[in-house]
Amino acid sequence: MSSANRQRFFELWGEIDDLSSATEVLEWDQETYMPRKGLPGRGKVMATLAGLRHDKLCAPELRTLAEDLAADSVEGSAGLAQGREAIRQIDRAVKVPTALTREIAELESLSLAAWSEARKTSSFPIYQPLLERMVELKRQEAACVASAGSAYDGLLDDYEPGAKEAELIPLFADLRAALVPILQTAQSRAPVDESAVQGAFPEAAQRALGQRAAAAFGFRFDAGRLDLSTHPFCTGFNRGDVRMTWRFEEGDFRPALYGILHETGHGLYEQGLPEVWARTPLGAPVSLGIHESQSRLWENLVGRSKGFWKWALPLLHEHLPGTSKVTVDGIWKALHTVKPSLIRVEADEATYNLHVAIRFDIERRLFAGNLEVSQLPEAWDDAYEELLGIRAERVAEGVLQDIHWALGSFGYFPTYTLGTLASCQLFEAATEQLGDLEGQFGQGEFAPLLRWLRQEVHQHGRFYSAGELIERTTGKPLGAEAFLKYVRRNVEEAYPV
Ligand code: ZN
C-alpha cells in the first residue's frame, strides 16, 4: 500500500470519527443543558450527522483502502488490526440503509422527550407510540445485520462485538441460580443498619466529596467535566475532553458518590486511550462490556472497599459534617446490603445482575416477536415479582426507569453483567500482581492500580477483542467465578449468622 493511500485511509477514518465526536457532544448537551423544547429540532441535526457518517463509512473507496491496509500488513501488527476493525464496522454499516440510520437517529431525540415526560408523570401511554416505532425500526435494523444467528445477535454486536445470545442464555441462567440463594441468605438474617449513609447532605457538599475521590483515583479535571443529568453517564470526545454526569439524593450519599465513582471508572478509560491511535479504528474502547468493567471496578472493588474508606473517612467528615460518628465498618456494611429493589442503578452488587437478567429476557422476547410494546409494563412487573418478589407501584419505577430504549439501545444491558464479571476477574489479577491493594487504598495510593489498568487495558485501544484482552490479562476466559466468590464473601461478612 502506498504511503499516500495509507494517509488517505486515516484521513477518511478521521472524518468519520469527527462526526461521531460531534454527535456525542450534541448527545451530552441534550441530556444536560438543552431546553426540552429543543429536542425535535435537535433530532433533525442528529439525523443529518448520522446520515453523513453512515455514507462516509459505506463509501466503496474506504472499504478498498481498508482491505489494502490489512493485506499489506504483517500478522500481529497494528496495521492489520486497523484494517480488520475498519472492515468489521464497514461491513455492518453497509447492511443498513442510510434512510433507516437517519430515521432511528431522529426518533431517538423525539422518543427521549416522550420518555422523560412519561417517566416524570409515570404514564406509559405518552411514550408507547414512540417506543413502538423504535422497536419497529430496530427490528428492521436487526433483520439487516443479523447473520445466521438470532435477530438479537445483530443488536448485541453493536455494543459487544462477537457476543451471542446463545452464549448469554446459559450465563444468565447460571447467575440466576447462584444469586437467588445469596439473596435468600441475606433475607433470612438480621437486616443491616444503613443509617451510616443517611442524613441531610447538600448538593454542593456531595459534589465536592465525589470530585475529591474522582481526582484521587486519577481523573483529570483539566481534561474533563462533571455536570448534573437525569441519568448519570460518561462520554469522551477525545482523551482531552471527557464528560461525566451525576445526580444526587439529599437523604443518602450513596447515589451521588457511587454514581460519580462509577463514571470516573469510565472516564479514566477514556482519558487513557492511546493518543497515537486517536481518530483511527483502534483508538476506541474495546466494547461496552470492557468499558463497564472499568466503571464497576472503581465503583465497587475500590470504592466500596474498607481500604478506600480508611482513606476517605476524614474527607467524608470534612464534606458531610453530619457523618462525624460514622465508622468505616458502619459504612462498609451499609454499602453491602443485599435486598430486592426496583431501581437497577441503585441495586446492590448481588441483585444487580438479576435486574439485567430481567431486561435481557424481555428484550429477547421483544425481538423474537413473542412480546409487544403494549404488554411491556405488565411483563416487566411480573418478572420483578417472580424473581425479586416485589412489584413497582408506579411505571416510572418499573419499565420506564431506564433511558436505553428511548435511545434505541436494545442489546446494551447484557454488557453491564459482562462488565461486572470482568471487573472482579481483573481485580483478582491486579491483586495477584500488585499485592496488598487494600493497604495501598488506605494510604490514598490509587496510582499503582491505575497504572496497571492503563498498561493492561487502556493503552491497547481496540487492538485485542474483549475475549482476548481478558484472557491475556487474567489468564482465563471471562467467567462468573471471581464475581460470585466476591459477593458470597461480602454477604457472609455483612450478614453474620
Ligand atoms: Zn457504566
Short mmCIF file of all heavy atoms in Angstrom, two decimals, residues 202-244:
data_model
loop_
_atom_site.label_atom_id
_atom_site.label_comp_id
_atom_site.label_asym_id
_atom_site.label_seq_id
_atom_site.Cartn_x
_atom_site.Cartn_y
_atom_site.Cartn_z
N PRO A 202 -26.21 18.48 51.52
CA PRO A 202 -26.44 19.44 50.43
C PRO A 202 -25.73 19.04 49.14
O PRO A 202 -24.68 18.38 49.18
CB PRO A 202 -25.85 20.75 50.96
CG PRO A 202 -25.57 20.54 52.40
CD PRO A 202 -25.48 19.06 52.65
N GLU A 203 -26.29 19.46 48.03
CA GLU A 203 -25.76 19.14 46.71
C GLU A 203 -24.28 19.48 46.58
O GLU A 203 -23.47 18.65 46.15
CB GLU A 203 -26.58 19.90 45.64
CG GLU A 203 -26.05 19.68 44.22
CD GLU A 203 -26.71 20.58 43.18
OE1 GLU A 203 -27.79 21.15 43.45
OE2 GLU A 203 -26.14 20.71 42.08
N ALA A 204 -23.92 20.73 46.95
CA ALA A 204 -22.54 21.18 46.73
C ALA A 204 -21.54 20.33 47.51
O ALA A 204 -20.46 20.01 47.03
CB ALA A 204 -22.40 22.65 47.12
N ALA A 205 -21.93 19.94 48.73
CA ALA A 205 -21.03 19.14 49.56
C ALA A 205 -20.85 17.75 48.97
O ALA A 205 -19.74 17.20 48.96
CB ALA A 205 -21.58 19.05 50.97
N GLN A 206 -21.93 17.18 48.46
CA GLN A 206 -21.84 15.84 47.86
C GLN A 206 -20.99 15.89 46.60
O GLN A 206 -20.21 14.98 46.33
CB GLN A 206 -23.25 15.32 47.52
CG GLN A 206 -24.10 15.03 48.74
CD GLN A 206 -25.21 14.02 48.42
OE1 GLN A 206 -24.95 12.95 47.88
NE2 GLN A 206 -26.44 14.35 48.76
N ARG A 207 -21.15 16.96 45.85
CA ARG A 207 -20.35 17.10 44.63
C ARG A 207 -18.86 17.22 44.96
O ARG A 207 -18.02 16.58 44.34
CB ARG A 207 -20.82 18.36 43.88
CG ARG A 207 -20.14 18.55 42.55
CD ARG A 207 -20.41 19.94 41.97
NE ARG A 207 -19.45 20.17 40.91
CZ ARG A 207 -19.72 20.02 39.61
NH1 ARG A 207 -20.93 19.74 39.22
NH2 ARG A 207 -18.78 20.19 38.72
N ALA A 208 -18.56 18.03 45.98
CA ALA A 208 -17.16 18.24 46.36
C ALA A 208 -16.52 16.92 46.81
O ALA A 208 -15.39 16.61 46.43
CB ALA A 208 -17.07 19.29 47.47
N LEU A 209 -17.25 16.14 47.58
CA LEU A 209 -16.74 14.85 48.05
C LEU A 209 -16.46 13.92 46.85
O LEU A 209 -15.38 13.32 46.75
CB LEU A 209 -17.75 14.19 49.00
CG LEU A 209 -17.40 12.77 49.47
CD1 LEU A 209 -16.16 12.78 50.36
CD2 LEU A 209 -18.59 12.14 50.22
N GLY A 210 -17.43 13.85 45.95
CA GLY A 210 -17.27 12.98 44.77
C GLY A 210 -16.09 13.41 43.92
O GLY A 210 -15.31 12.58 43.44
N GLN A 211 -15.92 14.72 43.75
CA GLN A 211 -14.81 15.22 42.93
C GLN A 211 -13.46 14.93 43.56
O GLN A 211 -12.50 14.63 42.86
CB GLN A 211 -14.97 16.72 42.69
CG GLN A 211 -15.87 17.01 41.50
CD GLN A 211 -15.92 18.47 41.16
OE1 GLN A 211 -16.08 19.30 42.06
NE2 GLN A 211 -15.79 18.81 39.91
N ARG A 212 -13.39 15.04 44.89
CA ARG A 212 -12.12 14.74 45.57
C ARG A 212 -11.72 13.29 45.32
O ARG A 212 -10.56 12.99 45.03
CB ARG A 212 -12.26 14.96 47.10
CG ARG A 212 -12.36 16.39 47.54
CD ARG A 212 -11.01 17.08 47.62
NE ARG A 212 -10.15 16.64 48.71
CZ ARG A 212 -10.17 17.14 49.95
NH1 ARG A 212 -11.03 18.09 50.27
NH2 ARG A 212 -9.32 16.71 50.87
N ALA A 213 -12.72 12.38 45.45
CA ALA A 213 -12.42 10.96 45.24
C ALA A 213 -12.05 10.68 43.79
O ALA A 213 -11.10 9.96 43.51
CB ALA A 213 -13.61 10.11 45.67
N ALA A 214 -12.80 11.29 42.87
CA ALA A 214 -12.52 11.09 41.43
C ALA A 214 -11.10 11.55 41.10
O ALA A 214 -10.37 10.86 40.37
CB ALA A 214 -13.55 11.84 40.58
N ALA A 215 -10.71 12.70 41.64
CA ALA A 215 -9.37 13.24 41.37
C ALA A 215 -8.31 12.33 41.98
O ALA A 215 -7.26 12.08 41.39
CB ALA A 215 -9.25 14.66 41.91
N ALA A 216 -8.60 11.80 43.18
CA ALA A 216 -7.63 10.89 43.82
C ALA A 216 -7.46 9.61 43.02
O ALA A 216 -6.36 9.06 42.94
CB ALA A 216 -8.09 10.56 45.25
N PHE A 217 -8.52 9.14 42.37
CA PHE A 217 -8.42 7.95 41.52
C PHE A 217 -7.57 8.24 40.28
O PHE A 217 -7.08 7.33 39.64
CB PHE A 217 -9.80 7.48 41.06
CG PHE A 217 -10.62 6.78 42.12
CD1 PHE A 217 -11.90 6.32 41.84
CD2 PHE A 217 -10.12 6.56 43.39
CE1 PHE A 217 -12.66 5.67 42.80
CE2 PHE A 217 -10.88 5.91 44.38
CZ PHE A 217 -12.16 5.46 44.07
N GLY A 218 -7.46 9.52 39.92
CA GLY A 218 -6.63 9.88 38.77
C GLY A 218 -7.37 10.56 37.65
O GLY A 218 -6.79 10.84 36.59
N PHE A 219 -8.67 10.85 37.85
CA PHE A 219 -9.42 11.55 36.80
C PHE A 219 -8.90 12.98 36.70
O PHE A 219 -8.77 13.68 37.69
CB PHE A 219 -10.92 11.57 37.10
CG PHE A 219 -11.74 12.18 35.99
CD1 PHE A 219 -12.13 11.42 34.89
CD2 PHE A 219 -12.10 13.53 36.02
CE1 PHE A 219 -12.87 12.00 33.85
CE2 PHE A 219 -12.83 14.11 34.99
CZ PHE A 219 -13.21 13.33 33.91
N ARG A 220 -8.60 13.40 35.48
CA ARG A 220 -8.03 14.74 35.28
C ARG A 220 -9.15 15.72 34.95
O ARG A 220 -9.73 15.67 33.86
CB ARG A 220 -6.98 14.69 34.16
CG ARG A 220 -5.83 13.76 34.52
CD ARG A 220 -4.62 14.09 33.71
NE ARG A 220 -4.35 15.52 33.71
CZ ARG A 220 -3.26 16.06 33.19
NH1 ARG A 220 -2.34 15.28 32.67
NH2 ARG A 220 -3.09 17.37 33.20
N PHE A 221 -9.40 16.63 35.88
CA PHE A 221 -10.46 17.61 35.63
C PHE A 221 -10.04 18.71 34.65
O PHE A 221 -10.88 19.47 34.20
CB PHE A 221 -10.98 18.19 36.97
CG PHE A 221 -11.95 17.26 37.66
CD1 PHE A 221 -11.51 16.37 38.63
CD2 PHE A 221 -13.29 17.23 37.29
CE1 PHE A 221 -12.40 15.49 39.25
CE2 PHE A 221 -14.18 16.36 37.89
CZ PHE A 221 -13.74 15.49 38.87
N ASP A 222 -8.74 18.76 34.30
CA ASP A 222 -8.35 19.70 33.24
C ASP A 222 -8.57 19.04 31.87
O ASP A 222 -8.33 19.64 30.83
CB ASP A 222 -6.89 20.17 33.40
CG ASP A 222 -5.89 19.02 33.42
OD1 ASP A 222 -6.33 17.83 33.44
OD2 ASP A 222 -4.68 19.29 33.42
N ALA A 223 -9.03 17.80 31.89
CA ALA A 223 -9.36 17.10 30.64
C ALA A 223 -10.75 16.48 30.77
O ALA A 223 -11.04 15.44 30.17
CB ALA A 223 -8.32 16.02 30.34
N GLY A 224 -11.60 17.10 31.57
CA GLY A 224 -12.94 16.56 31.77
C GLY A 224 -13.82 17.47 32.59
O GLY A 224 -13.37 18.50 33.10
N ARG A 225 -15.10 17.09 32.70
CA ARG A 225 -16.09 17.90 33.44
C ARG A 225 -17.04 16.97 34.17
O ARG A 225 -17.16 15.80 33.85
CB ARG A 225 -16.96 18.69 32.45
CG ARG A 225 -16.34 19.85 31.75
CD ARG A 225 -17.42 20.53 30.89
NE ARG A 225 -18.57 20.96 31.69
CZ ARG A 225 -18.66 22.14 32.29
NH1 ARG A 225 -17.70 23.02 32.16
NH2 ARG A 225 -19.73 22.44 33.00
N LEU A 226 -17.78 17.56 35.12
CA LEU A 226 -18.83 16.83 35.83
C LEU A 226 -20.06 17.74 35.87
O LEU A 226 -19.99 18.87 36.34
CB LEU A 226 -18.37 16.52 37.26
CG LEU A 226 -19.37 15.77 38.14
CD1 LEU A 226 -19.59 14.35 37.65
CD2 LEU A 226 -18.88 15.73 39.60
N ASP A 227 -21.18 17.27 35.32
CA ASP A 227 -22.42 18.05 35.28
C ASP A 227 -23.60 17.19 35.73
O ASP A 227 -23.53 15.97 35.68
CB ASP A 227 -22.69 18.54 33.84
CG ASP A 227 -21.61 19.49 33.36
OD1 ASP A 227 -20.58 19.00 32.83
OD2 ASP A 227 -21.76 20.71 33.54
N LEU A 228 -24.68 17.85 36.11
CA LEU A 228 -25.89 17.12 36.53
C LEU A 228 -26.65 16.59 35.32
O LEU A 228 -26.68 17.22 34.27
CB LEU A 228 -26.81 18.06 37.31
CG LEU A 228 -26.51 18.29 38.79
CD1 LEU A 228 -27.44 19.37 39.33
CD2 LEU A 228 -26.64 17.01 39.62
N SER A 229 -27.30 15.42 35.46
CA SER A 229 -28.22 14.92 34.43
C SER A 229 -29.23 13.98 35.08
O SER A 229 -29.03 13.56 36.22
CB SER A 229 -27.46 14.18 33.32
OG SER A 229 -27.03 12.92 33.80
N THR A 230 -30.30 13.65 34.35
CA THR A 230 -31.31 12.73 34.91
C THR A 230 -30.71 11.35 35.09
O THR A 230 -30.94 10.68 36.08
CB THR A 230 -32.51 12.59 33.93
OG1 THR A 230 -32.78 13.85 33.37
CG2 THR A 230 -33.74 12.07 34.63
N HIS A 231 -29.96 10.91 34.08
CA HIS A 231 -29.33 9.59 34.12
C HIS A 231 -27.82 9.79 34.06
O HIS A 231 -27.32 10.32 33.09
CB HIS A 231 -29.76 8.79 32.88
CG HIS A 231 -30.42 7.51 33.23
ND1 HIS A 231 -29.83 6.30 33.07
CD2 HIS A 231 -31.64 7.27 33.75
CE1 HIS A 231 -30.66 5.35 33.48
NE2 HIS A 231 -31.76 5.91 33.89
N PRO A 232 -27.07 9.38 35.07
CA PRO A 232 -25.61 9.59 35.02
C PRO A 232 -24.99 8.83 33.84
O PRO A 232 -25.41 7.72 33.54
CB PRO A 232 -25.12 8.99 36.34
CG PRO A 232 -26.31 8.85 37.21
CD PRO A 232 -27.49 8.70 36.31
N PHE A 233 -24.04 9.47 33.18
CA PHE A 233 -23.31 8.78 32.11
C PHE A 233 -21.95 9.45 31.93
O PHE A 233 -21.65 10.46 32.57
CB PHE A 233 -24.11 8.83 30.79
CG PHE A 233 -24.30 10.21 30.21
CD1 PHE A 233 -23.44 10.70 29.22
CD2 PHE A 233 -25.33 11.03 30.65
CE1 PHE A 233 -23.61 11.98 28.69
CE2 PHE A 233 -25.50 12.31 30.12
CZ PHE A 233 -24.64 12.78 29.14
N CYS A 234 -21.14 8.85 31.06
CA CYS A 234 -19.83 9.43 30.76
C CYS A 234 -19.62 9.32 29.27
O CYS A 234 -19.98 8.32 28.65
CB CYS A 234 -18.74 8.64 31.49
SG CYS A 234 -17.07 9.11 31.01
N THR A 235 -19.08 10.36 28.67
CA THR A 235 -18.81 10.32 27.24
C THR A 235 -17.48 11.03 26.97
O THR A 235 -17.18 12.04 27.59
CB THR A 235 -19.98 10.96 26.44
OG1 THR A 235 -19.70 10.89 25.05
CG2 THR A 235 -20.23 12.40 26.82
N GLY A 236 -16.67 10.44 26.08
CA GLY A 236 -15.38 11.04 25.78
C GLY A 236 -15.32 11.43 24.32
O GLY A 236 -15.53 10.60 23.46
N PHE A 237 -15.06 12.71 24.06
CA PHE A 237 -14.97 13.16 22.66
C PHE A 237 -13.55 12.92 22.14
O PHE A 237 -13.32 12.69 20.96
CB PHE A 237 -15.33 14.64 22.53
CG PHE A 237 -16.58 15.00 23.31
CD1 PHE A 237 -16.64 16.15 24.08
CD2 PHE A 237 -17.68 14.14 23.29
CE1 PHE A 237 -17.78 16.46 24.80
CE2 PHE A 237 -18.83 14.45 24.02
CZ PHE A 237 -18.87 15.61 24.78
N ASN A 238 -12.61 13.03 23.05
CA ASN A 238 -11.22 12.65 22.81
C ASN A 238 -10.59 12.57 24.20
O ASN A 238 -11.25 12.92 25.17
CB ASN A 238 -10.49 13.64 21.89
CG ASN A 238 -10.52 15.06 22.45
OD1 ASN A 238 -9.90 15.34 23.47
ND2 ASN A 238 -11.28 15.95 21.82
N ARG A 239 -9.34 12.13 24.29
CA ARG A 239 -8.83 11.89 25.65
C ARG A 239 -8.61 13.19 26.45
O ARG A 239 -8.42 13.15 27.65
CB ARG A 239 -7.59 11.02 25.66
CG ARG A 239 -6.54 11.42 24.66
CD ARG A 239 -5.38 10.46 24.73
NE ARG A 239 -4.37 10.96 25.65
CZ ARG A 239 -3.48 10.23 26.26
NH1 ARG A 239 -3.48 8.93 26.10
NH2 ARG A 239 -2.58 10.77 27.05
N GLY A 240 -8.68 14.31 25.77
CA GLY A 240 -8.54 15.60 26.46
C GLY A 240 -9.88 16.22 26.84
O GLY A 240 -9.91 17.34 27.38
N ASP A 241 -10.98 15.55 26.54
CA ASP A 241 -12.29 16.12 26.83
C ASP A 241 -13.29 15.00 27.14
O ASP A 241 -13.96 14.47 26.26
CB ASP A 241 -12.78 16.95 25.63
CG ASP A 241 -14.04 17.75 25.95
OD1 ASP A 241 -14.59 17.58 27.05
OD2 ASP A 241 -14.46 18.56 25.09
N VAL A 242 -13.36 14.66 28.42
CA VAL A 242 -14.20 13.55 28.87
C VAL A 242 -15.26 14.09 29.82
O VAL A 242 -14.94 14.70 30.84
CB VAL A 242 -13.33 12.48 29.57
CG1 VAL A 242 -14.21 11.34 30.09
CG2 VAL A 242 -12.28 11.94 28.59
N ARG A 243 -16.53 13.90 29.48
CA ARG A 243 -17.62 14.48 30.27
C ARG A 243 -18.32 13.41 31.09
O ARG A 243 -18.81 12.43 30.55
CB ARG A 243 -18.64 15.14 29.33
CG ARG A 243 -18.03 16.05 28.25
CD ARG A 243 -17.68 17.40 28.80
NE ARG A 243 -17.03 18.22 27.78
CZ ARG A 243 -17.65 19.18 27.07
NH1 ARG A 243 -18.93 19.40 27.26
NH2 ARG A 243 -16.97 19.89 26.20
N MET A 244 -18.43 13.68 32.40
CA MET A 244 -19.18 12.78 33.27
C MET A 244 -20.39 13.53 33.79
O MET A 244 -20.37 14.75 33.90
CB MET A 244 -18.34 12.39 34.50
CG MET A 244 -16.98 11.83 34.18
SD MET A 244 -16.24 11.05 35.63
CE MET A 244 -15.80 12.45 36.66
#
